[in-house]
Amino acid sequence: VQLQASGGGLVQAGGSLTLSCASSGLTFSRYNMAWFRQAPGKGREFVAGISSSGDITEYADSVKGRFTILRDNVKNTLYLQMSSLKPEDTAVYYCATKLTRISRTPASYDFWGQGTQVTVSS
């Protein structure tokens, strides 16, 4: 199984970015997916999750209304649309997947991508 996250970069506060996570080696449409992030010196934090069919989404309070998680089960790709970015959104963003229900606990996920850096300048 491979999850390849991309799309990170440097953006000014108030700006937007879209992250992608391309998957291979698994039946993507069967798996629930999530984005986590980890800032320097902090633990890995749940950002957003989406069910296998895309009909259920869940967000951390800190990103609700600013971030949107999407998936394309034809392209086997997960997305995170981020807008109104804040300096506190600066972190390495990871995609992760699991067969069981969406969870905010990192240890419950089966596979992880390598991470993509998002830096928001003030």
Side-chain angles (χ1 to χ4, degrees), residues 18-29:
T18 295
L19 306 183
S20 299
C21 174
S23 72
S24 61
L26 77 167
T27 306
F28 183 73
S29 60

Side-chain angles (χ1 to χ4, degrees), residues 12-40:
Q12 287 190 329
S16 300
L17 275 177
T18 295
L19 306 183
S20 299
C21 174
S23 72
S24 61
L26 77 167
T27 306
F28 183 73
S29 60
R30 292 183 59 199
Y31 281 77
N32 298 310
M33 303 293 298
W35 288 99
F36 286 79
R37 66 187 181 185
Q38 188 164 14

